[in-house]
Amino acid sequence: MLAKLARIINFSLAMTCCIGGTSSLAQNTNGKTAKPNIVVILVDQWRGQAQGYMQKEKVFTPNVDALAKEGVALKQMVSNYPVCSPARAMFFSGTYPFKNKVHANANSKSAPYGVELPTNIVCWSDVLKQQGYSNGYIGKWHLDAPHKPYIPVANNTEELAWNEWTPFDRRHGFDYWYAYNTYDYHSRPMYWDTKAPRDSFHFVDEWGPIHETDKAIDFLDNKGNVRNPDAPFAMVVSFNPPHSPYNTAPAKYHEPYNNIPLDSLLTDADIPPVGTPMGEQYRKEVKNYYSSITGVDAQIGRIVNALEERKMFDNTIIVFVADHGNCLGKHDEESKNNIYEESLRIPFIICWKGKIKPSMDNTFLGSLPDVYPTLLDLAGLKSKISQTIDGKSYANYFLKGNGDQPAEQFIMGAMAYDTLQMGQSGFRGIRTAQYKLAYQKTKKKTEAFLFDIQADPFEQHNLYSKDNLQVKLMRPKLAAWLKEHDDHFTLD
């Protein structure tokens, strides 16, 4: 049982603290097997290094730290395409962008090229629905393309529109819907209810994560009869913060950082110098970013507490994951969609009391498409996993603590909207626990990078040469992966 005190933001203490599985189903008390509930907590732009238990940054995350002790925490998890829509499409569909069609962020500029999650693609939530689950989605979705006339909200203009209603037939098995596509006004978020038509959204005068946690607890309580009380449930709570703007978290979540000297947060070698645009951004926003993380962490604690208080915790698989990370100015990168570790590395914790053996895992090379088959396998639905997905189930590894592991991760990003150009745009790469090899197209030329991310964690020294042994070992694997996925990106 997670200690409830660990989920209460204790600001007087903050200053000292902050420096497959088809046979594994849970049992009801009557002896009959019961499918586990599933709760996914999906956050936006939270880099994997910014978790207290990682001991890399001075960020206060007591609830995430407590959850990590109850499950498997993957320290090497990456977002294979570190930007919102592509990452989410991989997570839900178990496929890379070459199959799921989401090769860029869904907005009005990418809409003419069909960048949105196809209606007919089968997500893990669709499979759960087919198998009798009652599903709920709360928060940011960002997998539908805006269309005219654009929804009259602040982030939709004739020049660039982001937000859109999700039609009933595009919700991929989620019966209860309290969501939006993307809207970054965290202090006054907007939502569509389950039955609301396109023109009937509403605003809420409360910080988004707090309000969404209230709705998540209502879902657990089945307030308003929003789910079948006799069926297992799957609930996704998708928080937008710590996505920018970073300064919107309530004041109480800023308090742990008020007396921390700024200089003590500026020791990493990849932070640009003072006086540079990205160096100034990092210095301006790092405490705000941490405050948003701490505020979201508090809501994670509320959700886990609610599961425990309702005696749902023991038979619930909990997944905590981000869509991508955030450079915040490091490497002269404003946020994400680049080759660096702060952009790629994301939190990932999977917890199922009594089934998944707790572990701080620094070797498993997790990828987003693998979550789909792993979740279904854990839920006893291995036979329902589509043979056309790209991901692979690692349920046995999580249940037993040993077994097959991925040998590498493949990364990509910054692709052109135009599908005819996407194969020769952006970056592609391969990553192991020690090395990362990446190729990036810029101005019709290709730049190559090799980093020893163990010896050089801030990626200050590009070791690339065609004669380098690691390049000779890794490049053929990347080339084979590109061919397998019909990606026309060239490595020269």
Side-chain angles (χ1 to χ4, degrees), residues 408-441:
E408 62 271 317
Q409 299 149 315
F410 295 94
I411 60 172
M412 68 212 79
M415 297 183 192
Y417 293 152
D418 188 339
T419 52
L420 296 177
Q421 299 180 35
M422 62 178 283
Q424 289 300 321
S425 60
F427 64 87
R428 309 291 191 275
I430 180 173
R431 182 187 183 279
T432 68
Q434 183 168 359
Y435 292 100
K436 177 167 52 184
L437 174 66
Y439 297 84
Q440 183 167 297
K441 302 287 185 182

Side-chain angles (χ1 to χ4, degrees), residues 7-8 41 63 206-218 220 239 252-253 295-310:
R7 302 192 195 94
I8 300 173
I41 302 170
N63 303 292
E206 189 171 30
W207 195 50
I210 293 176
H211 179 67
E212 288 154 21
T213 300
D214 291 343
K215 301 300 289 189
I217 294 171
D218 286 347
L220 297 179
F239 296 128
K252 62 181 177 179
Y253 301 124
V296 172
D297 176 85
Q299 311 317 311
I300 294 171
R302 291 179 60 205
I303 292 170
V304 178
N305 274 341
L307 289 167
E308 290 182 337
E309 290 167 356
R310 289 149 184 79

Side-chain angles (χ1 to χ4, degrees), residues 213-396:
T213 300
D214 291 343
K215 301 300 289 189
I217 294 171
D218 286 347
F219 182 85
L220 297 179
D221 289 335
N222 202 17
K223 185 176 180 180
N225 296 313
V226 294
R227 62 180 177 87
N228 180 356
D230 298 320
F233 65 80
M235 176 178 69
V236 176
V237 188
S238 178
F239 296 128
N240 199 339
H243 190 287
S244 57
Y246 307 111
N247 62 350
T248 63
K252 62 181 177 179
Y253 301 124
H254 290 260
E255 290 179 15
Y257 307 101
N258 287 344
N259 295 321
I260 296 178
L262 179 61
D263 286 349
S264 71
L265 306 179
L266 304 175
T267 57
D268 292 347
D270 53 356
I271 301 171
V274 65
T276 62
M278 290 295 98
E280 291 303 305
Q281 174 179 302
Y282 197 90
R283 288 160 176 79
K284 175 185 176 183
E285 298 290 10
V286 63
K287 287 189 179 184
N288 290 330
Y289 180 59
Y290 287 170
S291 299
S292 291
I293 287 174
T294 297
V296 172
D297 176 85
Q299 311 317 311
I300 294 171
R302 291 179 60 205
I303 292 170
V304 178
N305 274 341
L307 289 167
E308 290 182 337
E309 290 167 356
R310 289 149 184 79
K311 302 192 184 304
M312 296 174 172
F313 182 80
D314 290 3
N315 193 37
T316 298
I317 300 169
I318 301 173
V319 174
F320 165 57
V321 65
D323 56 359
H324 54 77
N326 186 4
C327 286
L328 200 70
K330 287 187 170 191
H331 297 285
D332 284 319
E333 294 284 351
E334 184 173 2
S335 55
K336 65 270 189 179
N337 208 8
N338 58 69
I339 67 171
Y340 297 107
E341 289 291 283
E342 290 84 358
S343 172
L344 293 168
R345 292 269 291 280
I346 55 175
F348 185 89
I349 299 169
I350 185 165
C351 173
W352 188 10
K353 186 175 181 181
K355 304 295 188 299
I356 290 176
K357 183 180 179 181
S359 170
M360 297 284 184
D361 195 314
N362 198 35
T363 63
F364 189 92
L365 299 173
S367 291
L368 287 174
D370 296 331
V371 179
Y372 174 132
T374 300
L375 266 183
L376 293 184
D377 199 351
L378 288 171
L381 299 171
K382 185 175 183 178
S383 65
K384 305 300 179 183
I385 298 170
S386 170
Q387 298 303 304
T388 63
I389 66 170
D390 298 318
K392 178 180 176 181
S393 172
Y394 291 97
N396 280 335

Side-chain angles (χ1 to χ4, degrees), residues 149-170:
Y150 297 131
I151 302 295
V153 291
N155 68 334
N156 280 356
T157 66
E158 288 300 308
E159 181 179 354
L160 182 61
W162 288 91
N163 204 3
E164 184 53 79
W165 176 68
T166 299
F168 304 108
D169 63 346
R170 290 185 48 77

Side-chain angles (χ1 to χ4, degrees), residues 71-241:
V72 173
L74 300 183
K75 296 184 177 182
Q76 298 287 340
M77 184 77 178
V78 303
S79 176
N80 307 79
Y81 191 143
V83 74
C84 299
S85 298
R88 290 161 185 267
M90 289 187 292
F91 178 79
F92 286 106
S93 74
T95 60
Y96 289 107
F98 317 106
K99 285 184 182 175
N100 65 42
K101 309 303 180 185
V102 185
H103 62 271
N105 260 340
N107 58 38
S108 59
K109 288 188 176 180
S110 65
Y113 303 101
V115 178
E116 63 178 0
L117 191 65
T119 304
N120 62 355
I121 202 164
V122 177
C123 297
W124 56 259
S125 49
D126 291 306
V127 177
L128 292 180
K129 171 67 174 175
Q130 293 163 5
Q131 297 304 309
Y133 272 73
S134 190
N135 299 336
Y137 197 96
I138 299 167
K140 178 175 178 174
W141 177 243
H142 204 180
L143 289 168
D144 286 285
H147 61 83
K148 293 185 176 182
Y150 297 131
I151 302 295
V153 291
N155 68 334
N156 280 356
T157 66
E158 288 300 308
E159 181 179 354
L160 182 61
W162 288 91
N163 204 3
E164 184 53 79
W165 176 68
T166 299
F168 304 108
D169 63 346
R170 290 185 48 77
R171 296 178 184 178
H172 289 279
F174 290 103
D175 312 292
Y176 173 71
W177 191 261
Y178 191 83
Y180 56 95
N181 262 277
T182 184
Y183 192 71
D184 297 333
Y185 296 82
H186 309 319
S187 296
R188 195 169 188 261
M190 55 87 70
Y191 306 91
W192 280 272
D193 289 297
T194 302
K195 296 181 180 180
R198 188 172 186 259
D199 60 355
S200 294
F201 53 89
H202 67 278
F203 295 90
V204 176
D205 290 316
E206 189 171 30
W207 195 50
I210 293 176
H211 179 67
E212 288 154 21
T213 300
D214 291 343
K215 301 300 289 189
I217 294 171
D218 286 347
F219 182 85
L220 297 179
D221 289 335
N222 202 17
K223 185 176 180 180
N225 296 313
V226 294
R227 62 180 177 87
N228 180 356
D230 298 320
F233 65 80
M235 176 178 69
V236 176
V237 188
S238 178
F239 296 128
N240 199 339

